[in-house]
Amino acid sequence: LKSVFPFKSAACMVGARAMNPSESLKACVVLMPPIETMEQLTAAACHLGLEVQVTSSSSEALQKLPAAIVMGPAPENVLAQLRNQSSFRQVFKIVLNSAVAEDVCQRLSCFDAGANMVTSSAEAVTTALSRVAKVLRSPGPYACPTCGLLLSEDALHLHMHLQHATDDNPRGPCPICKKSGGNLPVHFTNNHGPIESREPPPARYACFAWCVCRRPTDGRFLLVNEPAGISGGRPGYWLPAGRVDSGESLSDACRREALEEAGVAVRVTGVLRFMVNSRGTLRVVFLAEPEDANNSEPKSVPDWESVGAVWADVHDLPRLKEKDYRSPDPADLYPKVTSGELRPHSLDTPAFRSLEALIVRLTAGEGAESELAAVWKDIKATYPSTAFDRR
């Protein structure tokens, strides 16, 4: 099987020299041994219609113009050798290595070196390869603003968040509507591609849920690698968090964000903090745990929500620098939860139930914000002063 997908790259690329317009990426995946799951990945790639090439030579790997490369040991060295090749940005580069994937510093080092995905899961690699193959089967007139691949609108929507979640935001006009300004990936997600894959309109009332998820079996916490475009140009760490959707409660938003950004279904067990900033925007920090602690492998296939996630020991956090975070909130919250300085408070109170019900109505565009005053008064009377943080 030596199929070549019928699409080419745009003549102009960012960062490296452009590929010759007559060249095309092949429907091929290169496996760089040793990889423990070589037979499993070979079978999966063939099932997806991808030719499998095996080589331990970095220069030979990219000369084959593969759609993807899977590497195991010494990934930073391999990536450093690959960076000089012209097709580096167009090839999806996967690090399949448990020790690397579970180490908070090595993960970032691989992303900094150019990896698109870092994982310990052969199943996740198969999922990623299926998406790469789907992109390659959809050539079109629109050039990716980061790597130059010419794709259809729907394929470009998938490609940008899969392949370039680790890259800073591209500059210039939208390749489809030609509009300029603002965050291009956000614009693209909200305005182009499949309707069902776009972000819903923001809720009428803005409030946010944060998830501090701790695994009870070993005390580790979830850290999310945020997309580079909203994290200072690299996939820095944060916790699962986000805006409450229309008609959604705060605790439901906490569960949804953990599933979307970390790939882990969680059970909310308490409230850690209520935070209100100077503009009056409410953020509630929840404590949560996996619904199934023995089946809680975090996601590793990049998408619009995140680049992946990892279970981190609190003692690993001092190894990270402030620049390694999107925002250093985990470095503040996680040690305090571990030490008991920050304790969860009950969700099962009349005050919190009233707050949840009001948030559901306000985000759906019902009710009046003036109702918040009485509900907030009850919250302040129910929970201790240590549960509040004005920022």
Side-chain angles (χ1 to χ4, degrees):
L1 177 65
K2 293 189 176 180
S3 169
V4 177
F5 284 103
F7 79 96
K8 300 179 175 64
S9 63
C12 181
M13 282 177 54
V14 179
R17 75 167 177 84
M19 289 177 63
N20 186 305
S22 65
E23 296 176 312
S24 298
L25 293 185
K26 294 180 174 62
C28 168
V29 56
V30 169
L31 305 181
M32 302 188 68
I35 297 175
E36 291 183 0
T37 54
M38 184 78 76
E39 290 185 6
Q40 178 182 348
L41 292 178
T42 299
C46 291
H47 179 73
L48 294 168
L50 296 171
E51 177 188 357
V52 176
Q53 298 276 352
V54 179
T55 179
S56 57
S57 167
S58 301
S59 58
E60 184 180 340
L62 278 184
Q63 285 174 2
K64 297 178 182 297
L65 295 178
I69 295 176
V70 183
M71 63 199 77
E76 293 173 68
N77 295 336
V78 174
L79 289 163
Q81 297 170 35
L82 294 175
R83 288 192 76 90
N84 295 324
Q85 303 296 317
S86 62
S87 58
F88 183 79
R89 284 203 169 191
Q90 296 181 329
V91 176
F92 192 75
K93 299 164 291 294
I94 303 172
V95 174
L96 176 57
N97 185 311
S98 296
V100 171
E102 295 167 9
D103 185 286
V104 294
C105 293
Q106 290 190 61
R107 287 176 64 85
L108 284 180
S109 294
C110 286
F111 289 134
D112 287 343
N116 303 106
M117 173 177 167
V118 179
T119 187
S120 59
S121 167
E123 290 75 15
V125 173
T126 299
T127 298
L129 292 179
S130 70
R131 295 178 186 178
V132 169
K134 182 177 180 179
V135 167
L136 296 185
R137 292 191 181 98
S138 301
Y142 304 113
C144 171
T146 298
C147 72
L149 287 181
L150 292 170
L151 300 168
S152 69
E153 179 177 337
D154 287 357
L156 185 56
H157 185 280
L158 174 58
H159 168 79
M160 285 180 66
H161 301 310
L162 174 71
Q163 185 119 351
H164 299 303
T166 55
D167 293 319
D168 202 357
N169 290 335
R171 303 189 183 279
C174 170
I176 294 177
C177 67
K178 308 305 179 185
K179 290 184 178 179
S180 299
N183 185 304
L184 183 55
V186 171
H187 162 81
F188 199 89
T189 296
N190 291 339
N191 296 279
H192 302 295
I195 297 295
E196 64 275 12
S197 297
R198 301 180 191 181
E199 283 286 279
R204 297 283 296 274
Y205 176 76
C207 56
F208 298 83
W210 292 13
C211 180
V212 173
C213 185
R214 191 183 192 195
R215 192 163 58 185
T217 52
D218 57 10
R220 289 176 175 261
F221 292 87
L222 271 180
L223 281 178
V224 170
N225 289 108
E226 295 281 307
I230 59 171
S231 185
R234 64 199 294 251
Y237 289 116
W238 203 34
L239 42 70
R243 183 167 175 157
V244 179
D245 283 347
S246 178
E248 189 176 42
S249 71
L250 288 156
S251 56
D252 282 345
C254 173
R255 286 185 283 269
R256 175 179 53 77
E257 292 291 346
L259 189 59
E260 290 177 347
E261 297 188 356
V264 177
V266 304
R267 178 187 305 109
V268 178
T269 59
V271 176
L272 291 172
R273 275 183 182 167
F274 297 92
M275 303 188 299
V276 181
N277 66 14
S278 59
R279 296 185 297 276
T281 303
L282 173 65
R283 289 171 171 82
V284 177
V285 184
F286 293 96
L287 183 65
E289 63 185 27
E291 289 185 356
D292 183 354
N294 297 316
N295 184 25
S296 59
E297 182 175 347
K299 67 180 276 191
S300 54
V301 180
D303 59 20
W304 163 251
E305 299 291 345
S306 73
V307 180
V310 62
W311 288 106
D313 192 293
V314 71
H315 300 296
D316 288 335
L317 300 185
R319 298 170 56 204
L320 298 172
K321 300 178 174 60
E322 186 170 350
K323 68 181 179 66
D324 295 331
Y325 293 97
R326 174 186 175 183
S327 178
D329 300 289
D332 170 51
L333 294 167
Y334 293 1
K336 290 178 179 177
V337 171
T338 300
S339 69
E341 179 182 346
L342 192 58
R343 297 180 181 275
H345 304 284
S346 177
L347 303 169
D348 189 20
T349 67
F352 191 78
R353 288 194 293 271
S354 295
L355 177 63
E356 287 274 70
L358 180 57
I359 292 300
V360 168
R361 291 192 292 115
L362 289 177
T363 56
E366 303 169 0
E369 290 187 32
S370 59
E371 297 178 66
L372 270 171
V375 172
W376 191 246
K377 182 179 179 180
D378 288 343
I379 290 286
K380 296 281 283 186
T382 300
Y383 294 93
S385 59
T386 53
F388 298 88
D389 182 12
R390 190 168 188 86
R391 56 170 66 186

